[in-house]
Amino acid sequence: MDQGVNKPLVLLSLLMILVLGACTLAGSGIKVNPGAPSTAGVSLQPGTPASHLPAAKLTIFAAASLTDAFQAIGKEYETAHPGVVVDFSFAGSQILRTQLEQGATADVIAFADQKNMASLVSDGLVSADASHDFVTNQMVVILPPGNPGGLQSLIDLARPGLKLVLADASVPAGTYARQILEKMSNDPTFGADFSTRVMANIVSNETDVRQVVTKVELGEADAGIVYTSDLEASPDLLTIPIPRQYNVTAQYPIAILRSSPNPELAAEFVNYVTSSEGGSILSQWGFSPVR
Amino acid sequence: MKLSSPPFRRTKNHDLPGWEFILPSLVLLSLIGLPVVALVWRSVGINILSFAVSASAVNALKLSLLTSTISVIVSLITGTPLAYVQAHWRFRGKAVIDLLVDLPVVLPPSVAGIALLMAFGRGGILGGTLESIGITIPFTTTAVVMAQVFVSAPFLVRSARIGFSAIDHQLEEAATVEGASNWHIFRHIMLPLAGRALVTGIILCWTRALGEFGATLLFAGNLEGKTQTMPLAIYVGFEQGLGIALFLSLILLAVSLVLLTLVRRLER
């Protein structure tokens, strides 16, 4: 037969060897680092070492904007609780909510808005009194280094031809961004059609807020609207602040799921997140802890 | 391409496979079969037709048909000559080219998306040059097509290459003796004889282009009517309500089944 047919097979076997090698490394207790989490919507921790089984595993579902802060908190928590392994799944809140509704198992859930939590409460997945807000966040306009779109102020967002990236309307950050544009449209300075004109500049509705950050960081878009906390992990971005009267305050709720396999550990994790230690990590990553 | 008769036959006294063969097979078959059945089953419960007319579903359908068709045409025009060169000439660096063409088949689509951004994005290697002549590719329908060609063209090239390789060399030699040019041999002998393999390649390429998701999301973004193809609409629609996602999934399932049956027919 044709020699070309075997090429993919060779490649496949090479890949398999690589994967097997990685598994062996993980099995012998060497930690394999997952590749650049900022570009991926969902980032999972590497497998647990098989040589010494952990006492327990905690699974945390958290809004994409919490990625860096929660990874830092997870490390601290693991150090303080030897034998406990914390696994994270980061994605847009709406994706996590859907996964839980479709039967995914997790111990703790942290969303970037109230709507998704309310939906889990009404589905009976979270007790009505189990959820409470632990941080707040604000929005900001981000521009790539060098400002290729030449934006000087917020009003430039409506300039025709500008490439704007927002989170999809189903994503909390996308809803907040649209609320801000609506508020600005009510101000005569911007004009009643401001929101419509800005929305006409959207070139992509991303599935989580971190994808918006990535697209702007790469310079593919001229501007995006994201959380102020997102700036901590991306210091090269230029910003245009959104004044208080137009901005929104995102309230982040955290809760233990009713089906949590480890409710005690889950409670300890939530306590740690809401403690002063947890709060200082969250502040470092640009969130305002709720006291 | 005709395969010869099977190299061995079961003897009479071993007519039925034992449970040690049947049980593992059933596990795999149910893993693949149950989700497919469940997809259809759940759709029956919902008034699926009400989503058929929704604007976003129609837009996604139209865009998917348009982009995948263009992708197949581009793959055909560029991929057939490439497959012919690969099948008929030996040259330095051929192994590298063979490997390169097969690479997208095993490469995760998200990697393809990042790679396309690094090459053709505004900040990519060619980005500055393209920008200076007024061309921006990311977030356009062109980007959708490029992502689809990247991941799907190799299926066409591989199929065509096998088709060209299977043709008897003596035919070509005879034609050369008669004074036919390379182009004439390609056009009047090779193309008709490799027709079946080419059609198989076209179908596989089209199916893969229709299903492209990861590279599109990264390189072309997600905007209804412009870059939101059916797989993207399914992903985004899934969180807003199962209806649109189920409706579009059913269409893709039906199309895939029809195309796969066609391929089977052609391969027989």
Side-chain angles (χ1 to χ4, degrees), chain A residues 20-82:
Chain A
L20 283 176
C23 291
T24 322
L25 280 179
S28 61
I30 300 166
K31 233 175 182 187
V32 182
N33 231 1
S38 66
T39 51
V42 180
S43 121
L44 295 165
Q45 289 247 320
T48 55
S51 47
H52 55 96
L53 280 169
K57 198 179 80 171
L58 266 183
T59 307
I60 318 288
F61 276 25
S65 46
L66 289 165
T67 305
D68 302 285
F70 265 33
Q71 271 171 350
I73 286 178
K75 267 198 198 113
E76 293 295 316
Y77 181 85
E78 278 178 345
T79 317
H81 298 77

Side-chain angles (χ1 to χ4, degrees), chain A:
Chain A
M1 277 291 264
D2 182 88
Q3 49 156 306
V5 187
N6 290 323
K7 284 281 155 53
L9 275 179
V10 173
L11 260 176
L12 260 177
S13 359
L14 275 175
L15 277 175
M16 296 271 263
I17 292 165
L18 272 175
V19 170
L20 283 176
C23 291
T24 322
L25 280 179
S28 61
I30 300 166
K31 233 175 182 187
V32 182
N33 231 1
S38 66
T39 51
V42 180
S43 121
L44 295 165
Q45 289 247 320
T48 55
S51 47
H52 55 96
L53 280 169
K57 198 179 80 171
L58 266 183
T59 307
I60 318 288
F61 276 25
S65 46
L66 289 165
T67 305
D68 302 285
F70 265 33
Q71 271 171 350
I73 286 178
K75 267 198 198 113
E76 293 295 316
Y77 181 85
E78 278 178 345
T79 317
H81 298 77
V84 181
V85 172
V86 186
D87 276 355
F88 289 105
S89 178
F90 297 108
S93 296
Q94 81 291 355
I95 294 174
L96 299 171
R97 192 251 306 145
T98 312
Q99 286 173 345
L100 291 168
E101 283 172 353
Q102 299 295 324
T105 313
D107 296 289
V108 177
I109 174 76
F111 285 133
D113 69 353
Q114 303 294 316
K115 202 181 86 185
N116 284 299
M117 189 63 89
S119 164
L120 284 192
V121 170
S122 71
D123 288 337
L125 294 169
V126 168
S127 314
D129 54 351
S131 147
H132 59 274
D133 299 346
F134 69 109
V135 283
T136 61
N137 211 348
Q138 307 258 305
M139 308 297 283
V140 64
V141 173
I142 52 168
L143 318 168
N147 191 8
L151 280 88
Q152 298 304 318
S153 66
L154 290 177
I155 205 151
D156 292 337
L157 285 173
R159 205 181 53 214
L162 187 91
K163 290 185 190 316
L164 176 70
V165 175
L166 295 187
D168 189 72
S170 61
V171 186
T175 311
Y176 296 138
R178 284 163 179 79
Q179 283 170 1
I180 288 168
L181 294 176
E182 282 306 317
K183 281 192 189 180
M184 290 168 82
S185 299
N186 292 333
D187 186 327
T189 324
F190 293 99
D193 62 343
F194 182 72
S195 174
T196 321
R197 289 192 293 141
V198 174
M199 301 280 272
N201 285 338
I202 295 179
V203 290
S204 183
N205 293 303
E206 300 292 327
T207 52
D208 71 59
V209 70
R210 285 301 164 105
Q211 296 292 331
V212 180
V213 176
T214 306
K215 296 272 157 81
V216 176
E217 249 180 342
L218 286 170
E220 301 304 341
D222 298 323
I225 303 180
V226 301
Y227 298 111
T228 50
S229 64
D230 292 318
L231 299 173
E232 297 300 324
S234 311
D236 294 338
L237 290 172
L238 307 176
T239 57
I240 302 178
I242 300 171
R244 220 202 172 106
Q245 66 265 36
Y246 312 122
N247 218 323
V248 292
T249 301
Q251 311 261 2
Y252 283 55
I254 191 168
I256 299 164
L257 285 146
R258 285 177 73 179
S259 59
S260 161
N262 304 293
E264 287 92 19
L265 278 175
E268 273 182 48
F269 182 83
V270 173
N271 284 341
Y272 186 75
V273 169
T274 49
S275 70
S276 55
E277 291 107 311
S280 74
I281 296 176
L282 286 159
S283 313
Q284 274 169 35
W285 287 103
F287 293 92
S288 311
V290 176
R291 300 280 173 207

Side-chain angles (χ1 to χ4, degrees), chain B:
Chain B
M1 169 183 59
K2 197 103 180 168
L3 289 173
S4 53
S5 59
F8 58 88
R9 270 170 201 279
R10 284 256 165 259
T11 51
K12 272 273 156 66
N13 48 352
H14 287 92
D15 237 350
L16 291 170
W19 285 106
E20 68 272 30
F21 291 100
I22 293 176
L23 277 180
S25 311
L26 281 179
V27 171
L28 185 57
L29 283 177
S30 38
L31 181 70
I32 301 170
L34 278 179
V36 174
V37 173
L39 189 64
V40 180
W41 182 257
R42 282 295 294 271
S43 312
V44 177
I46 296 171
N47 184 9
I48 210 92
L49 283 178
S50 62
F51 296 100
V53 287
S54 82
S56 51
V58 172
N59 280 334
L61 237 165
K62 272 194 207 158
L63 187 71
S64 267
L65 281 179
L66 177 75
T67 52
S68 59
T69 307
I70 297 177
S71 296
V72 170
I73 293 171
V74 172
S75 303
L76 192 64
I77 294 173
T78 56
T80 317
L82 177 60
Y84 190 63
V85 170
Q86 281 182 298
H88 271 257
W89 281 280
R90 284 166 193 278
F91 48 90
R92 279 183 76 184
K94 183 171 183 295
V96 177
I97 289 184
D98 289 354
L99 199 69
L100 190 68
V101 173
D102 285 337
L103 189 61
V105 177
V106 290
L107 201 67
S110 50
V111 178
I114 301 266
L116 282 164
L117 268 180
M118 294 304 124
F120 304 108
R122 284 212 304 194
I125 297 173
L126 292 177
T129 320
L130 290 169
E131 192 98 317
S132 64
I133 51 171
I135 298 173
T136 321
I137 294 174
F139 306 124
T140 60
T141 310
T142 310
V144 178
V145 172
M146 285 172 73
Q148 287 178 351
V149 170
F150 186 101
V151 299
S152 66
F155 288 90
L156 191 141
V157 175
R158 290 171 75 190
S159 189
R161 195 165 64 204
I162 294 169
F164 289 134
S165 303
I167 297 169
D168 194 343
H169 274 275
Q170 289 180 333
L171 272 174
E172 198 187 340
E173 280 158 21
T176 317
V177 170
E178 297 288 322
S181 68
N182 260 338
W183 171 251
H184 258 83
I185 296 171
F186 176 71
R187 171 72 189 78
H188 295 289
I189 299 173
M190 296 305 187
L191 268 189
L193 284 175
R196 223 168 224 254
L198 270 175
V199 175
T200 306
I202 288 172
I203 294 173
L204 289 175
C205 174
W206 200 46
T207 322
R208 184 66 192 84
L210 264 182
E212 208 321 289
F213 171 73
T216 311
L217 194 60
L218 280 166
F219 184 47
N222 170 47
L223 191 68
E224 197 183 311
K226 208 171 169 196
T227 56
Q228 191 184 75
T229 54
M230 282 168 75
L232 270 70
I234 290 172
Y235 183 69
V236 174
F238 183 47
E239 295 111 34
Q240 292 159 348
L242 218 48
I244 291 182
L246 276 177
F247 168 70
L248 291 174
S249 300
L250 268 192
I251 292 184
L252 279 182
L253 179 66
V255 170
S256 306
L257 278 176
V258 169
L259 291 177
L260 202 57
T261 317
L262 269 177
V263 170
R264 286 287 138 82
R265 281 273 161 83
L266 284 165
E267 279 178 343
R268 216 177 282 155

